[in-house]
Amino acid sequence: MLQLPQHIAIIMDGNGRWATQKGLPRSEGHKAGANSIDRLMETALELSIPYISLYAFSTENWKRPISEIQSIFQLLNEFIDSQLNKIHSNGIKIQHSGRVQRIPFMSFKKIYKAVQLTKNNTKMTLNFCLNYGGKEEILNACNKVIKKKIKNNDKLDKGITQEELEKELYTYPLPPVDLLIRTAGEQRISNFLLWQIAYAEIYFTNTLWPDFHKQDLFQALEWYSNRVRKFGGLK
Ligand code: FPP
């Protein structure tokens, strides 16, 4: 019996390289990447994995050419339009993590609708990290806690607790990440879920995200099930 992670987070890297290798525009890579999300969702449901977080667009991705930014948000819109009914009937809850400001209005509306429609679903949470940055999230959470304390006339010199901060993370109430997967051979965190990955197992694969199939997830899960997790203690 495999020991399965509760929360899997994925840095879906390699869409651009996948397209370039095939002589296609980068937008085609992102399109193929969206299909990988669809496959992943189905496999995660079959395995009853309750939480999936996807790095769809980072606060740093605004540095890309406007045409590529538009193609990613367009794909997100299409993904929600074409998948929302299926997502909802499969009992999947959509969550958004990240700054709402700067997200194109049309995409924001679609995400908001998806979040509202699916808010009572309990089978799985699909957390789209969109306009997301880990440092920004932590800073935002600290500022929110401080503002609340000032509003409630609480003393600030006592500092803030982990629990108070965690409640203000974009990902709340998701549990910490157990398994972080990064595709396409890069071995870095890229400002993703910095707080939540404190004790995550990190799996790197050379497979490009559009080529990530069911068996690639199984390989990652098999690797994960052999990890001994000590959380700083002894075995
Ligand atoms: C990283 O690959 C991928 C992204 C920055 C965007 C991820 C977006 C998708 C998977 C499609 C969007 C669809 C939805 C439903 C949100 P890269 O472009 O950095 O690849 P490269 O390193 O090979 O250039």
Side-chain angles (χ1 to χ4, degrees):
M1 189 54 183
L2 286 185
Q3 170 203 260
L4 288 176
Q6 291 284 293
H7 187 176
I8 303 180
I10 308 187
I11 303 177
M12 308 179 288
D13 200 8
N15 294 348
R17 271 163 283 175
W18 183 91
T20 306
Q21 280 171 13
K22 294 185 155 41
L24 297 167
R26 289 177 60 85
S27 58
E28 287 299 313
H30 295 311
K31 198 167 165 184
N35 292 335
S36 285
I37 296 179
D38 189 24
R39 287 195 301 268
L40 171 88
M41 220 164 47
E42 291 192 0
T43 313
L45 266 181
E46 281 168 26
L47 297 171
S48 302
I49 293 184
Y51 306 101
I52 303 272
S53 289
L54 299 173
Y55 208 3
F57 194 88
S58 75
T59 43
E60 287 73 36
N61 287 149
W62 295 108
K63 294 177 197 153
R64 295 191 179 203
I66 183 73
S67 57
E68 179 162 346
I69 295 172
Q70 282 170 343
S71 85
I72 293 176
F73 282 102
Q74 179 59 29
L75 276 165
L76 174 81
N77 295 349
E78 287 168 16
F79 183 85
I80 296 177
D81 285 344
S82 63
Q83 305 289 331
L84 188 55
N85 283 342
K86 187 174 93 179
I87 286 174
H88 187 41
S89 59
N90 279 330
I92 299 174
K93 177 176 175 169
I94 297 286
Q95 182 163 338
H96 166 238
S97 293
R99 264 183 98 79
V100 165
Q101 285 94 331
R102 228 177 150 179
I103 292 180
F105 186 60
M106 184 63 84
S107 297
F108 169 72
K109 262 186 13 191
K110 288 183 191 290
I111 297 163
Y112 184 80
K113 179 181 156 202
V115 169
Q116 287 302 316
L117 178 73
T118 63
K119 67 177 183 217
N120 296 320
N121 291 345
T122 54
K123 233 175 170 182
M124 184 178 121
T125 299
L126 190 60
N127 174 34
F128 278 103
C129 300
L130 200 68
N131 197 16
Y132 174 88
K135 284 188 177 180
E136 193 277 326
E137 177 185 41
I138 295 170
L139 209 54
N140 177 63
C142 291
N143 287 328
K144 278 193 156 165
V145 176
I146 292 169
K147 272 188 195 151
K148 256 191 194 166
K149 282 186 186 284
I150 292 174
K151 207 174 154 200
N152 297 337
N153 284 324
D154 286 349
K155 287 221 165 69
L156 287 181
D157 56 2
K158 280 194 182 148
I160 66 179
T161 66
Q162 285 202 20
E163 289 72 23
E164 285 173 325
L165 188 141
E166 280 172 351
K167 277 197 184 136
E168 298 300 337
L169 293 176
Y170 295 128
T171 55
Y172 184 80
L174 301 195
V177 172
D178 300 303
L179 171 62
L180 172 67
I181 298 175
R182 183 169 189 146
T183 58
E186 309 299 340
Q187 304 201 348
R188 54 178 174 263
I189 302 301
S190 300
N191 202 14
F192 191 38
L193 301 177
L194 298 179
W195 181 279
Q196 299 85 341
I197 60 166
Y199 274 99
E201 301 295 327
I202 307 186
Y203 179 82
F204 298 108
T205 170
N206 288 330
T207 304
L208 305 176
W209 176 247
D211 289 329
F212 196 89
H213 284 82
K214 199 172 185 169
Q215 60 271 25
D216 297 287
L217 181 63
F218 285 166
Q219 259 175 31
L221 292 175
E222 200 182 341
W223 174 87
Y224 174 85
S225 75
N226 289 316
R227 310 303 305 159
V228 179
R229 305 191 73 200
K230 297 184 300 200
F231 298 94
L234 300 177
K235 195 181 164 188

